[in-house]
Amino acid sequence: MKLDAQWITGFVDGEGCFYVGINKHSDMTAGFQVLPEFTVVQHKRDVKLLDALKDFFGCGVVRINHGDRMAYRVRGKTDLLKHIIPFFIKYPLKSKKVFDFEKFQKILFMMKAGDHMKASGIEKIRQIAHQMNRGQSR
Amino acid sequence: MKLDAQWITGFVDGEGCFYVGINKHSDMTAGFQVLPEFTVVQHKRDVKLLDALKDFFGCGVVRINHGDRMAYRVRGKTDLLKHIIPFFIKYPLKSKKVFDFEKFQKILFMMKAGDHMKASGIEKIRQIAHQMNRGQSR
C-alpha cells in the first residue's frame, strides 16, 4: 500500500504520539537515558497501515502494543532525526499535537548536540518533556 | 484553516465514524426511522479542525459530544449523498473503516431510492447496518 504524505499527516494528527521517556541508567554519563519515540497504534485488523508507514519512513518496527492493538514505533535519535523530524517539518500537523512535535523536535536537536550527556542538558530535556502529551492519553 | 483532501482521508481513517441508527417511529410509513450519520470526534482543544471539516464539506454541525469532547456530525440523506459520499468515493479510506463506508454508502443509495419507506427495505437496511462498526468502539 502506497501512502500519500498528506494522508500520513492526517492519520498521525488522529493516531500518532510523540513521546520522550527519561529513565535512570547508571551506565550513562549523566546518569539518565533519554528515550524519544514516535508511535502510531492501531487495531491489528489495520496492521497493513502500520507496515505501510514503516515502508514509507524506511525505519522503525511494527510490534504488538497490547491485546489486539499493534504499534508502529520509531526509537533512537538517528532514525528520528533522519526520517521522522524532516517529514513533519515538511508536512506540519494541523492538530494541537503539533506542539508536542515541536518539543519533541527541540529535544532531538539537543540530543544531536550531545546535551543529553550532561546533567544540565538532562534537566532541560526533562522540563521540556514534562510539558508534552498533556491532556491526552497515550 | 484550509484542509487537504488526502489529509481529511487520513484523519477520518483515524478518527471518523460512519453509523446508521434505526429507531422505532410511529409517524414513519414503515414504522421506523433510519438515521445515517458521519461523525468525527475530537478533544475540544482541536475544535478548529472540526470547524475546518464543516467548512470543507459545507454541511453538518459542530457540537459538544460529551465532557470535553466535541463532534463534527453530518446527518440526513441529502447532505450525506451530496457532500460526504462523493468525497470518500473520490478519496478512498485506507483503513478497514472503508468497509463501514461501503455499507453506509449502500444504505444511503437505498434511501435515495426510497427503500427505507417500505418494511422490506427497512429489514434489508437493518441487516446491513448490523454488520457495521464491528470490533471498534464508537
Side-chain angles (χ1 to χ4, degrees), chain A residues 1-4 6-7 9-11 13-15 42-43 45-46 49 94-97 134-136, chain B residues 1-4 6-7 9-11 13-15 43 45-46 49 94-97 134-136:
Chain A
M1 189 190 297
K2 211 181 161 313
L3 300 180
D4 174 275
Q6 289 287 352
W7 182 92
T9 298
F11 195 62
D13 264 318
E15 306 283 283
Q42 276 302 279
H43 188 278
R45 69 175 164 260
D46 276 316
L49 289 182
K94 292 179 185 292
S95 72
K96 298 291 185 201
K97 215 169 268 183
R134 294 193 158 187
Q136 72 183 75
Chain B
M1 188 189 298
K2 209 179 163 310
L3 300 180
D4 175 275
Q6 288 288 351
W7 182 92
T9 298
F11 195 62
D13 263 319
E15 306 283 282
H43 188 279
R45 70 174 163 262
D46 276 315
L49 289 182
K94 291 180 186 292
S95 71
K96 297 292 186 202
K97 215 170 268 183
R134 293 191 160 190
Q136 71 183 77

Side-chain angles (χ1 to χ4, degrees), chain A residues 11-134:
Chain A
F11 195 62
V12 169
D13 264 318
E15 306 283 283
C17 182
F18 299 91
Y19 178 75
V20 178
I22 300 171
N23 299 332
K24 276 198 177 180
H25 201 302
S26 54
D27 291 353
M28 298 289 164
T29 322
F32 289 90
Q33 187 178 24
V34 181
L35 293 164
E37 67 177 42
F38 166 59
T39 317
V40 182
V41 174
Q42 276 302 279
H43 188 278
K44 64 181 179 186
R45 69 175 164 260
D46 276 316
V47 68
K48 280 187 183 173
L49 289 182
L50 302 181
D51 290 334
L53 284 172
K54 186 186 161 191
D55 289 347
F56 182 92
F57 286 115
C59 63
V61 293
V62 175
R63 294 273 190 280
I64 290 174
N65 190 40
H66 57 87
D68 53 10
R69 299 189 73 76
M70 306 286 291
Y72 168 59
R73 200 178 299 275
V74 183
R75 284 178 171 154
K77 69 179 200 296
T78 310
D79 281 340
L80 290 166
L81 282 165
K82 189 172 174 190
H83 301 290
I84 305 299
I85 302 281
F87 177 84
F88 290 105
I89 290 173
K90 190 167 179 187
Y91 301 100
L93 295 159
K94 292 179 185 292
S95 72
K96 298 291 185 201
K97 215 169 268 183
V98 73
F99 298 123
D100 285 336
F101 171 73
E102 284 168 3
K103 296 183 185 81
F104 188 78
Q105 178 188 346
K106 193 168 181 179
I107 290 172
L108 262 303
F109 287 164
M110 289 176 70
M111 292 177 78
K112 193 178 178 186
D115 293 1
H116 60 305
M117 318 279 267
K118 297 174 287 187
S120 61
I122 288 285
E123 191 43 41
K124 199 166 175 189
I125 289 170
R126 191 195 300 281
Q127 283 170 18
I128 300 168
H130 183 66
Q131 295 162 25
M132 293 174 67
N133 306 110
R134 294 193 158 187

Side-chain angles (χ1 to χ4, degrees), chain B residues 10-75:
Chain B
F11 195 62
V12 169
D13 263 319
E15 306 283 282
C17 182
F18 299 92
Y19 178 75
V20 178
I22 301 172
N23 298 332
K24 276 198 178 180
H25 201 301
S26 54
D27 292 352
M28 299 287 164
T29 323
F32 288 90
Q33 186 177 26
V34 181
L35 293 164
E37 66 176 43
F38 167 58
T39 318
V40 182
V41 174
Q42 276 303 279
H43 188 279
K44 64 182 179 187
R45 70 174 163 262
D46 276 315
V47 67
K48 280 186 183 175
L49 289 182
L50 302 182
D51 290 334
L53 283 173
K54 186 184 160 190
D55 289 347
F56 182 93
F57 286 116
C59 62
V61 293
V62 175
R63 294 271 191 280
I64 290 172
N65 190 40
H66 59 86
D68 54 8
R69 299 189 73 75
M70 306 285 291
Y72 168 59
R73 200 178 298 276
V74 184
R75 283 177 172 158

Side-chain angles (χ1 to χ4, degrees), chain B residues 16 19 30 40 83 87 100-101 115 117 127 132 134 138:
Chain B
Y19 178 75
V40 182
H83 301 289
F87 176 84
D100 285 338
F101 172 73
D115 292 2
M117 317 280 267
Q127 284 170 18
M132 293 174 68
R134 293 191 160 190
R138 288 191 62 215

